[in-house]
Amino acid sequence: MEKQKILVVDDEEALTNVVRFNLEVEGYEVDTASSAEEALKLDVRQYDLILLDVMMGGMSGFKMAQVLKENYETFSIPIIFCTAKTTEDEMVAGLNLGADDYITKPYSIRNLLARVKSVLRRTSRPKQDDAPRKTDSIDFEGLHIDCDAKRLEVDGVEVPVTRKELELLILLMNNLGKILSREEILARIWDDDVFVLNRTIDVKITRLRKKIGPYGKHIVTRFGYGYGFEK
């Protein structure tokens, strides 16, 4: 079985070495970079996960994530931010960029390994609850989701979306006309051992509405209840 590859981007050399050692003990193949600029010189497409520090000299981790998410070839690579930034607004900003998780420093290696395992588990294979029923695609007017290729098209034009955004849209469209609570959505898309802010769902919904353009109006909000997809 081929090892999963992880890229660790952090300008703290001692911490990077500890993280790399422990990840390799767990069976992962690990590369490191001491800056975002150095990381972007690599073939980032080869990695299954990126552990990314936010505050680095030169380009910040947030900026690097933005670069990756705007590139069709790298937008789906999961990212875990590892940072000393601890305010809720900063965490939401990271999630809004498409991050899959957010760990604040100082963190324990045990916690880091658990987060890595969790993110890789849910991003390396589709979740059964979110899979389309009896079809490998989902269509609604000008929206088309190719569930096998993990591709979203809006009026015939492919639109880059993160893994979580696509899973959320699939979940809503597979439950047409049903309002799902935030708790239901979190339980279906995020694992129990992942810390997710209450505002995470709101952020993902806002991004999805913008990305699907005129069809964003079909993602409805029922205040006090949750979200749904309606005709």
Side-chain angles (χ1 to χ4, degrees):
M1 181 178 177
E2 187 176 353
K3 290 184 177 181
Q4 291 174 300
K5 300 189 68 173
I6 298 175
L7 174 62
V8 181
V9 186
D10 198 309
D11 58 1
E12 297 182 52
E13 184 177 359
L15 176 61
T16 300
N17 290 336
V18 170
V19 170
R20 178 175 188 165
F21 171 78
N22 282 276
L23 288 172
E24 289 179 339
V25 168
E26 291 295 312
Y28 301 110
E29 184 175 338
V30 184
D31 290 329
T32 64
S34 59
S35 68
E37 290 85 352
E38 180 183 343
L40 290 173
K41 292 179 181 178
L42 304 173
D43 182 7
V44 182
R45 298 171 298 176
Q46 65 183 303
Y47 297 105
D48 299 291
L49 174 66
I50 298 175
L51 298 180
L52 182 57
D53 186 25
V54 172
M55 296 184 292
M56 297 181 287
M59 182 185 293
S60 71
F62 280 171
K63 180 60 178 178
M64 177 178 166
Q66 183 179 355
V67 170
L68 295 176
K69 295 303 180 182
E70 290 177 349
N71 186 324
Y72 176 75
E73 295 185 312
T74 58
F75 75 87
S76 63
I77 301 173
I79 294 173
I80 297 178
F81 281 123
C82 304
T83 178
K85 288 179 172 285
T86 59
T87 69
E88 182 173 316
D89 286 343
E90 289 164 339
M91 295 176 72
V92 170
L95 294 170
N96 199 26
L97 286 170
D100 291 77
D101 205 348
Y102 196 111
I103 305 176
T104 58
K105 295 179 178 179
Y107 52 77
S108 70
I109 292 297
R110 182 180 180 184
N111 180 34
L112 176 68
L113 294 175
R115 300 293 187 93
V116 166
K117 182 178 180 180
S118 177
V119 169
L120 287 173
R121 182 171 65 244
R122 69 175 187 262
T123 58
S124 61
R125 58 181 174 81
K127 294 173 70 66
Q128 293 300 316
D129 287 343
D130 304 331
R133 300 177 180 87
K134 300 180 180 179
T135 180
D136 57 2
S137 65
I138 304 174
D139 294 277
F140 176 83
E141 296 183 0
L143 287 180
H144 172 75
I145 300 176
D146 185 327
C147 298
D148 288 335
K150 311 302 182 194
R151 185 171 64 237
L152 169 66
E153 293 181 1
V154 178
D155 293 330
V157 178
E158 185 167 354
V159 175
V161 287
T162 67
R163 184 176 282 103
K164 293 291 104 178
E165 289 168 352
L166 187 62
E167 289 178 357
L168 177 55
L169 186 57
I170 289 175
L171 176 63
L172 294 177
M173 292 180 69
N174 268 340
N175 289 274
L176 187 65
K178 180 180 178 181
I179 299 299
L180 301 174
S181 68
R182 286 181 176 83
E183 291 73 21
E184 287 180 277
I185 294 172
L186 288 172
R188 298 280 287 276
I189 296 181
W190 280 270
D191 292 341
D192 292 339
D193 55 349
V194 176
F195 172 72
V196 180
L197 295 170
N198 290 334
R199 292 174 58 188
T200 300
I201 300 300
D202 305 326
V203 168
K204 298 295 185 187
I205 290 292
T206 298
R207 288 171 60 89
L208 264 180
R209 282 179 174 143
K210 290 180 180 179
K211 289 188 175 184
I212 63 178
Y215 307 104
K217 64 184 179 182
H218 294 285
I219 300 179
V220 298
T221 304
R222 293 289 181 265
F223 294 104
Y225 294 96
Y227 295 102
F229 194 97
E230 296 183 348
K231 294 183 178 180

